[in-house]
Structure formats: structure tokens, C-alpha cells
Amino acid sequence: MDYRENTDELAFRQRVRAWVTDNAPRNWRAETKTEEQMGALLRAWHRKLFEGGLVGLSWPTEFGGQGLTPTYEAILNDELGAADTPRVSFHAYLGRAIFTYGTQAQKQHFLPAMLRGDMQWCQGFSEPGAGSDLAGLRTYAELRGDKYVVNGQKMWTSGAQHADWCVMLVRTNRDVPKHKGISCLLTPTNVPGITIRPIKISDGSPETCEMFFDDVEIPVENRIGDEGAGWRIAMTVLSYERGPADIGFIATLKSTLRRLEGLAEETGRANDPEIRKAIARAYVVGEALRLNVMEQLSQRVAGKPPGPDGSVARLLLTQAEQTVRRLELELTGADALTGRDESDAFGAYLRSRTISIFGGTSEIQKNILANQVLGLPKA
């Protein structure tokens, strides 16, 4: 497989790089002190990307996208990651649930606003006791006339504090096998009965949220697909959650490793055999991740939909991030804990520990590979 970019892709990269130089917010980490400021920043950044023609690159044209290959999404994320811009919204994969399974009315109502950034979205899948076993979710939606009444709790819902809508899995039938009793509802986050509480992760930042539902009424027309089709929709969303977006992470990883090589020189440890081995190890893990993501990307460009083998990239991503941040902490030394370090090495190290649960824990990824890729029996 040839991973090199063609003439059109190289031209697109140059256009994106120039656009990011002119339009990306600067010093945004230092200037966003509150969650309200962060929410406003993310909305403004999404709208600026949309105005620049950089949202919905690989969406079908009939749904407002540009019909380009996933390679263009990867190039965009690579440039955004290298420039350390704010994160992009979750529209790229959550929108697929709507244009793949939604009604015509749902597509017309939600997709244009989703692309423009008028509606910010989150993904309400995991629950207490239903993270490693998503099919065991217990949030229940009872059909009463033309509406569902929802009660339960969602957990680890990233971006919920900034979201207007949630793509949410609920149980609608308790009398069938658990995978078949799940449905998917599009739920506004500002209706009565919903409480959103940010969860502070290990470094103290509210990276994710829990959501409580107390007799929340959702119209039946907000259900995507048939009742009981939620599991299939969830698998579609999760399979597209990774992929081109990982390219942005790899760009950040590479720039961080270059900075650490410079730090090793500055601190006189560049010739330390243990540091040299640690740098080499971080490079190798990052390169393994890059090649795996490129292979998956090439398969997607060839028309093969994402599959369970995407869990390999998820595991490599966790390993790469934790390897780099451990090296950063080693090179920064005591300054990381005393406050003399301005790079937030200790905070980055703490955040790297939580990455192993995002998008499914490492144990979940290994189970997926064992059962669905290797065909091993379930324990």
C-alpha cells in the first residue's frame, strides 16, 4: 500500500496549513479559564472551520458534506493536531448515526445545523456498571403514547456540559436478549428532568460528565431507526469514532516527542542510555500507531467499513500516549511537582492514565479483538 499523498491531497494540505495559520486561535489554553469560556471557544472554532469549508469533508454530498475520501479528514486532523488547535466537535461520527439510520425529516432538521455548529452534540452510551458491558445499560425509556419517558444515568459523557443534544442509548424492552432491547434517542440536553454534572478527572479538569434523567419526556419522532435497533446504531458510531481523528493525535505526539528530545539536550541527558532507550521506545510505539492508522485509513478509502480490528489502534494510542508522558515526567523531574515546570508535565501524565478508559477500556478492546477478530471463545 502506498501511503504517500497524491497531488490533490498535497494541495489540500497546503491550503489547510495556510488557513490554520491565519485562523486558528492562539493562546487559547491560557485564555479559557472557565467552562463557559471553553464552550464558547469550541462553538466559535467549529463555525470558523465550517466557514472555511473544513467541516463534513467525507460526509456524502446529499447530506451537506463534500463527498471526499477519509484521507482528507486525516489531513485536516493532522494539521490541526500539529498546530495544537482546540478540539473539533463530535459531529463527524455522531452525524453518521443520523444520516445512516435517521428519517428524512431528521436528516433535514439536524444535519445542516450539525455541520454549521449551531447544535453541539455528545454521546450518551456508557453508564455506571455498563461501560465494559455496554449492552447491559439500564437507563430505561418507557413508551407512553407519542413520547418516551426516560429515567436513569449516563456516565463518562465527554462534552455534555457544552452540548445541546445527545445521541443516547436507552433500554426500551427488558424482555428480550439485552442487545435487542436497546433503542437510540436524539435527546435535547435542556429539557426538564436532565441534570448534567462535570466529572473532574485525575488532573482536576472536567473532561467528561455524568447525566441524570428523571422522567424526561422525549418525542417518539426523536428515535433513530426502529425500536430495538440501538445496538446496531451504536456499533456504527463506535466504529467511526476512531480512524482519521487519530491522525491529529499522532501529530501532537510527534511534536511532543521532538520537544522532549530538545529537553533531553538542554538537561544534559541526551546521552543517558536509559533516556535514549525511552525516546526510542516512544518513537517506535508512535510509529506503530501511525502505520496502523494509515492501514485502516487506506482500507476505508477502498470502501471497507471500519471493523473490530480498529481496537488495535485504540490500544496503541493508549500505549503511545502513556509512554510519551512517562518520559516527559522523567525528563522534567521534581519541577513537575513543585510548580517550577510551565509545561504541565504532571497534569499531562495524569491525563494519560485516564485515556485507557476513553472509547472503551483497554480490557474491552482486548475482548473485542479476542472474540471478533481472533474468534476465541468468551470466558
Side-chain angles (χ1 to χ4, degrees):
M1 178 60 65
D2 186 354
Y3 296 142
R4 291 174 297 185
E5 295 167 358
N6 61 35
T7 303
D8 291 341
E9 291 163 351
L10 284 171
F12 177 75
R13 180 181 291 280
Q14 294 303 319
R15 179 170 79 81
V16 171
R17 187 170 296 173
W19 186 90
V20 169
T21 299
D22 293 338
N23 292 278
R26 294 177 173 80
N27 302 320
W28 60 274
R29 294 183 191 278
E31 295 175 358
T32 48
K33 304 294 186 185
T34 67
E35 282 303 294
E36 289 73 18
Q37 291 173 335
M38 179 59 76
L41 172 72
L42 294 175
R43 286 176 190 273
W45 178 229
H46 185 126
R47 287 168 181 156
K48 182 159 282 192
L49 286 166
F50 176 77
E51 292 166 0
L54 297 174
V55 175
L57 296 176
S58 63
W59 279 24
T61 54
E62 61 264 39
F63 304 131
Q66 300 184 37
L68 299 171
T69 69
T71 300
Y72 287 81
E73 296 275 11
I75 292 171
L76 171 65
N77 284 308
D78 190 31
E79 292 299 323
L80 297 182
D84 191 29
T85 67
R87 72 164 173 83
V88 181
S89 76
F90 307 129
H91 69 279
Y93 60 92
L94 292 179
R96 291 188 179 274
I98 299 176
F99 70 64
T100 304
Y101 300 99
T103 65
Q104 193 60 32
Q106 288 171 338
K107 295 172 187 175
Q108 292 176 350
H109 179 70
F110 291 111
L111 295 179
M114 186 179 249
L115 286 174
R116 289 193 303 267
D118 296 343
M119 293 178 182
Q120 295 295 308
W121 292 74
C122 63
Q123 172 185 306
F125 285 10
S126 297
E127 298 182 4
S132 299
D133 178 20
L134 182 59
L137 64 88
R138 293 181 295 179
T139 294
Y140 188 63
E142 180 182 3
L143 184 60
R144 298 179 189 172
D146 61 353
K147 60 192 174 190
Y148 288 100
V149 178
V150 181
N151 284 281
Q153 180 185 356
K154 293 294 174 182
M155 194 82 172
W156 310 122
T157 308
S158 297
Q161 71 271 49
H162 307 308
D164 306 298
W165 287 79
C166 179
V167 177
M168 183 172 68
L169 296 180
V170 293
R171 186 160 300 286
T172 49
N173 190 337
R174 292 167 169 155
D175 299 323
V176 297
K178 58 185 182 181
H179 292 80
K180 298 181 178 179
I182 298 172
S183 299
C184 185
L185 302 180
L186 303 179
T187 306
T189 60
N190 63 349
V191 293
I194 293 183
T195 301
I196 299 174
R197 294 179 183 168
I199 300 173
K200 292 186 177 180
I201 60 174
S202 49
D203 70 334
S205 63
E207 177 81 18
T208 185
C209 297
E210 55 185 344
M211 302 178 70
F212 298 89
F213 300 84
D214 184 12
D215 287 333
V216 176
E217 297 182 352
I218 305 299
V220 170
E221 59 261 32
N222 282 19
R223 188 189 70 226
I224 310 180
D226 295 331
E227 194 168 276
W231 184 254
R232 182 158 50 96
I233 296 171
M235 293 303 101
T236 298
V237 169
L238 292 174
S239 64
Y240 279 95
E241 184 176 356
R242 307 239 62 85
D246 289 336
I247 299 291
F249 171 83
I250 295 168
T252 303
L253 192 72
K254 289 167 64 178
S255 63
T256 301
L257 191 54
R258 283 196 296 271
R259 178 171 59 79
L260 296 184
E261 289 174 321
L263 182 59
E265 291 282 355
E266 293 172 12
T267 56
R269 303 182 67 185
N271 292 321
D272 182 328
E274 294 303 317
I275 293 299
R276 292 174 67 85
K277 281 195 293 186
I279 291 175
R281 187 180 302 114
Y283 175 82
V284 169
V285 174
E287 191 65 4
L289 171 64
R290 186 185 71 83
L291 292 172
N292 181 271
V293 170
M294 294 300 292
E295 173 61 20
Q296 291 186 40
L297 184 61
S298 69
Q299 293 182 14
R300 199 175 297 186
V301 171
K304 180 182 177 182
D309 52 343
S311 292
V312 174
R314 192 68 188 78
L315 289 169
L316 286 172
L317 187 150
T318 298
Q319 185 180 0
E321 173 69 1
Q322 293 183 349
T323 299
V324 167
R325 297 308 175 184
R326 191 162 50 244
L327 171 62
E328 182 176 26
L329 196 61
E330 170 68 25
L331 287 171
T332 307
D335 288 350
L337 301 175
T338 60
R340 295 175 59 187
D341 165 53
E342 296 180 352
S343 67
D344 191 28
F346 187 57
Y349 173 78
L350 292 176
R351 287 190 293 276
S352 76
R353 310 314 299 172
T354 60
I355 198 172
S356 61
I357 65 171
F358 291 162
T361 65
S362 295
E363 287 73 20
I364 291 176
Q365 309 302 335
K366 291 175 182 176
N367 280 338
I368 291 173
L369 291 171
N371 300 146
Q372 300 183 36
V373 177
L374 300 176
L376 298 177
K378 294 184 178 179

